[in-house]
Amino acid sequence: GGVVVMAVVFHRPYQRAQVGIGRVAPALVAGAEDKAPTGPAVVVASGLSRPKGLALLGADLLIAEEGTGRVLHLTPAGALSVFASGIRTPRWLAVAHDGTVYVTAHRLTGTDGSDPLEGKVIIRRDPATALLSVVAANIRKLGAIALNGSALFATAQRQESLPIATGVILRYPLLSGGTLGSPAYFVSIA
């Protein structure tokens, strides 16, 4: 038993990184004091350029590699391949039950701006065609994303089309075909 834990470890000065996987004792999850892993951590990928988000796609691991603008696909056998590329600063990942993958990024194409308040986007990777499309845009300081089966949730400073706020959780309804409906503030701090 145990719970799989994924971790990203950075190595300076070149900001190269490795991804490791290990098992944590089930008692740890229940809040036990013993925090010793039940097995050794194993490096499963190294030499990555600023890896950020991790997500499971079935038994496979997806890795958002911010420094190269791509999402990598790692199989349990250790095969590493490019899952998606051409994404400007991919960060966080969420995987829907049908295999649709959502990625937060600065943009899909074009050069990155230097403005930290630049609007960010959520990109969808179609599970059947592998095509990338922007499904949400103009999100200020976009952070993590999560799915619950009927909606995609995103942390952000605000959505440009909605009232000004200093911190929000956006809720985008999931529509047929994996597109997103109009956003609403699920939680908002004015």
Side-chain angles (χ1 to χ4, degrees):
V3 175
V4 174
V5 175
M6 297 173 281
V8 178
V9 179
F10 289 93
H11 300 280
R12 299 204 186 273
Y14 302 109
Q15 291 294 314
R16 303 308 279 180
Q18 62 190 28
V19 174
I21 297 181
R23 291 203 173 270
V24 175
L28 174 62
V29 178
E33 294 300 318
D34 179 16
K35 297 188 185 331
T38 60
V42 177
V43 174
V44 295
S46 61
L48 304 174
S49 181
R50 295 191 341 254
K52 292 292 181 184
L54 301 173
L56 292 172
L57 178 62
D60 299 341
L61 179 64
L62 298 178
I63 306 162
E65 192 179 24
E66 186 180 63
T68 61
R70 58 191 187 169
V71 175
L72 302 176
H73 178 246
L74 181 67
T75 68
L80 187 65
S81 61
V82 176
F83 185 76
S85 62
I87 303 169
R88 300 295 180 226
T89 319
R91 292 223 170 118
W92 306 111
L93 305 169
V95 179
H97 69 279
D98 67 353
T100 299
V101 176
Y102 297 91
V103 183
T104 68
H106 277 175
R107 67 184 80 250
L108 182 55
T109 59
T111 58
D112 241 353
S114 59
D115 181 1
L117 296 179
E118 171 182 281
K120 306 297 189 288
V121 299
I122 299 173
I123 297 167
R124 175 185 178 267
R125 183 185 183 273
D126 185 284
T129 65
L131 293 176
L132 301 174
S133 60
V134 174
V135 292
N138 300 318
I139 308 165
R140 294 292 182 193
K141 294 190 177 181
L142 177 59
I145 55 176
L147 295 163
N148 77 348
S150 64
L152 183 142
F153 296 87
T155 62
Q157 181 185 50
R158 71 182 183 97
Q159 169 74 45
E160 288 185 7
S161 62
L162 297 173
I164 292 177
T166 58
V168 299
I169 297 176
L170 295 159
R171 182 185 184 280
Y172 295 87
L174 288 175
L175 304 178
S176 64
T179 59
L180 301 179
S182 297
Y185 288 158
F186 185 68
V187 174
S188 174
I189 301 171

